[in-house]
């Protein structure tokens, strides 16, 4: 089976992890700082906070943004469920706004129509690895006095108008799950231009515990003393996994380049295949292409998907609109509320895309897809 995504672990990664395992720190040691620094040098901004997953990163970002009871988060339904569920865990509500038909990223006009005085956060998703319309979304968020959170789980290494993803939105989140561009097995991170928001992320990652003497409320408790100033969780990334991440990050540029080459190749190969539509690439941004979703006629999507799977091509569908999941349906969300995203869902198939995908395998995927669609 050719999978839809796959990680790569090389000898350098194994050596880095082994060194971490033999050190004094399995967690919360110098390798987390190293990883945060290396990530910061890629994504820019005032700093990064490594956490235990992309889901933890979203929960941390929303908590740092102050999402709580009475607050609403406006986001896209065409995302992994965590973009929405993390906001609900903060006690907030979620409003789904529709996407742009060309890029399947959040439509700024739909967001503008969806914001209310309760909107605390607009959460964009860089669908498939192409940055959303960040400038317009920032403008809409500013007008609503909300923060822009960017779920860049797909877009590490992408740029928007020459600026790296991670230094544009108020808070940007990343995932390092093995299918993502670089991996720490499980892991995630938040980046921001705002040191105050980063402090709030660090506090949330580790129980809201304060050790800094200057900030203690009860200064005379004793030399052992540390105190809790806010609620948080254990969302720390272990040193062992940070070591893997730092090693993987050295290949980020090569990985993104290879993904871009494969995407250009897919586009060329598919140009002659009738009934296949690719995402539109905006000229002012360089996508990192985590996924390569294509759209086929809705009436033939299922048979096409099944044919590909039967022929050993591990295709996927990203995503069932979040508000169609039974949990959300029972909360009262209605089908039909985001017609562009819902129509796209009915047509989407993600083709295999990962740096070690061979050109021969890619040719095979296209041949099998074309075969499935032949009238
Ligand atoms: C992968 C992903 C997440 C969740 O990341 P985990 O590391 O699996 O928790 C969130 N949002 C999007 C868009 C993702 O692709």
């Amino acid at each position: 089976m050719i999978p839809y995504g796959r990680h790569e672990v090389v000898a350098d990664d194994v050596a880095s992890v082994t060194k971490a395992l033999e050190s004094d720190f399995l967690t919360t040691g110098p390798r987390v700082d190293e990883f945060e620094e290396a990530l910061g040098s890629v994504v820019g901004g005032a700093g990064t906070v490594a956490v235990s997953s992309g889901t933890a990163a979203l929960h941390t970002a929303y908590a740092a943004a102050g999402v709580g009871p009475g607050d609403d988060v406006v986001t896209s339904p065409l995302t992994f469920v965590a973009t929405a569920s993390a906001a609900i865990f903060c006690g907030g509500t979620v409003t789904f706004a529709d996407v742009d038909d060309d890029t399947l990223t959040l439509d700024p006009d739909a967001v503008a129509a969806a914001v209310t005085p309760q909107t605390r956060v607009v959460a964009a998703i860089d669908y498939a690895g192409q940055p959303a319309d960040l400038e317009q979304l920032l403008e809409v968020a500013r007008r609503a006095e909300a923060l822009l959170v960017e779920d860049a789980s797909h877009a590490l290494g992408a740029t928007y108008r020459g600026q790296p993803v991670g230094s544009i939105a108020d808070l940007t989140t990343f995932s390092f799950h093995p299918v993502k561009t670089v991996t720490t097995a499980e892991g995630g991170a938040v980046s921001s231009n705002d040191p105050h928001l980063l402090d709030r992320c660090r506090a949330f990652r580790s129980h809201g515990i304060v050790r800094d003497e200057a900030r203690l409320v009860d200064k005379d408790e004793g030399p052992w003393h540390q105190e809790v100033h806010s609620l948080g969780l254990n969302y720390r990334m272990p040193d062992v996994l940070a070591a893997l991440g730092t090693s993987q990050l050295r290949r980020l540029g090569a990985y993104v380049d290879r993904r871009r080459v494969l995407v250009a190749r897919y586009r060329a190969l598919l140009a002659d295949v009738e009934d296949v539509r690719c995402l539109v690439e905006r000229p002012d941004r360089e996508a990192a292409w985590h996924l390569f979703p294509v759209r086929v006629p809705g009436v033939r999507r299922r048979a096409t998907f099944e044919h590909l799977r039967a022929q050993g091509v591990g295709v996927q569908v990203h995503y069932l609109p979040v508000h169609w999941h039974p949990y959300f349906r029972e909360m009262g969300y209605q089908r039909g509320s985001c017609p562009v995203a819902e129509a796209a869902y009915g047509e989407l198939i993600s083709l295999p895309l990962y740096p070690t995908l061979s050109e021969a395998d890619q040719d095979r995927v296209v041949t099998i897809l074309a075969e499935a669609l032949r009238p």
Side-chain angles (χ1 to χ4, degrees), residues 16-36 50 184 205 236-247:
S16 295
V17 171
T18 304
K19 232 171 113 189
L21 280 169
E22 290 168 350
S23 79
D24 289 338
F25 297 93
L26 296 185
T27 191
T28 321
R31 287 174 180 84
V32 172
D33 297 336
E34 267 170 44
F35 177 65
E36 289 178 342
T184 60
R205 165 178 69 177
R236 295 185 298 268
M237 176 183 280
D239 255 42
V240 173
L241 300 185
L244 176 58
T246 304
S247 181

Side-chain angles (χ1 to χ4, degrees), residues 48-361:
T48 67
V49 178
V51 294
S52 52
S53 71
T55 304
L58 284 159
H59 194 184
T60 300
Y62 292 148
V67 174
D71 295 322
D72 192 47
V73 172
V74 177
T75 192
S76 162
L78 216 55
T79 183
F80 184 60
V81 65
T83 320
S85 52
I88 298 170
F89 262 109
C90 290
T93 55
V94 172
T95 299
F96 295 105
D98 214 343
V99 297
D100 177 287
D101 194 46
D102 287 343
T103 62
L104 304 185
T105 59
L106 206 45
D107 175 355
D109 292 334
V111 175
V115 295
T116 66
Q118 279 68 52
T119 306
R120 166 78 61 152
V121 161
V122 173
I125 292 88
D126 299 329
Y127 181 79
Q130 174 160 235
D133 292 328
L134 297 174
E135 198 169 302
Q136 294 91 316
L137 290 168
L138 258 174
E139 225 178 272
V140 174
R142 292 283 179 266
R143 253 187 281 135
E145 292 178 49
L147 295 184
L148 180 66
V149 171
E150 181 183 358
D151 180 347
S153 296
H154 298 180
L156 177 63
T159 62
Y160 175 88
R161 299 186 179 167
Q163 211 177 323
V165 157
S167 61
I168 300 164
D170 295 296
L171 292 146
T172 305
T173 69
F174 299 97
S175 163
F176 309 115
H177 183 274
V179 295
K180 306 294 161 62
T181 306
V182 302
T183 189
T184 60
E186 296 281 2
V190 185
S191 69
S192 177
N193 292 322
D194 180 343
H196 174 67
L197 286 174
L198 289 166
D199 281 343
R200 288 174 60 99
C201 290
R202 284 186 200 102
F204 191 76
R205 165 178 69 177
S206 205
H207 309 286
I209 286 173
V210 171
R211 289 194 185 81
D212 178 6
E213 227 172 305
R215 292 180 54 216
L216 294 178
V217 174
D218 300 319
K219 294 194 189 299
D220 297 324
E221 190 62 31
W224 59 85
H225 185 58
Q226 47 186 14
E227 55 193 31
V228 170
H229 287 187
S230 57
L231 281 186
L233 290 160
N234 173 2
Y235 274 163
R236 295 185 298 268
M237 176 183 280
D239 255 42
V240 173
L241 300 185
L244 176 58
T246 304
S247 181
Q248 290 254 322
L249 271 178
R250 293 190 189 109
R251 298 194 301 281
L252 174 65
Y255 283 162
V256 171
D257 287 349
R258 175 69 183 158
R259 285 173 177 276
R260 294 177 61 80
V261 165
L262 289 169
V263 165
R265 215 169 162 272
Y266 261 137
R267 285 183 190 283
L269 292 168
L270 291 168
D272 304 328
V273 180
E274 222 175 301
D275 287 338
V276 173
R277 236 173 103 192
C278 302
L279 294 178
V280 174
E281 200 166 356
R282 299 281 188 233
D284 62 348
R285 55 207 86 170
E286 297 225 316
W289 297 125
H290 160 54
L291 298 173
F292 189 73
V294 295
R295 294 170 71 168
V296 300
V299 290
R300 305 184 65 186
R301 193 267 297 265
R302 181 161 181 170
T304 307
F305 185 97
E306 285 173 342
H307 181 77
L308 283 154
R309 278 279 180 98
Q311 297 297 312
V313 180
V315 283
Q316 263 298 354
V317 170
H318 299 91
Y319 294 92
L320 182 81
V322 174
H323 60 295
W324 283 22
H325 283 287
Y327 179 85
F328 288 83
R329 191 159 68 216
E330 274 159 35
M331 286 177 86
Y333 291 98
Q334 303 281 330
R335 285 191 184 213
S337 58
C338 293
V340 181
E342 292 173 37
Y345 161 68
E347 301 173 353
L348 282 167
I349 298 178
S350 298
L351 303 183
L353 181 66
Y354 47 93
T356 54
L357 177 67
S358 71
E359 295 182 0
D361 277 349

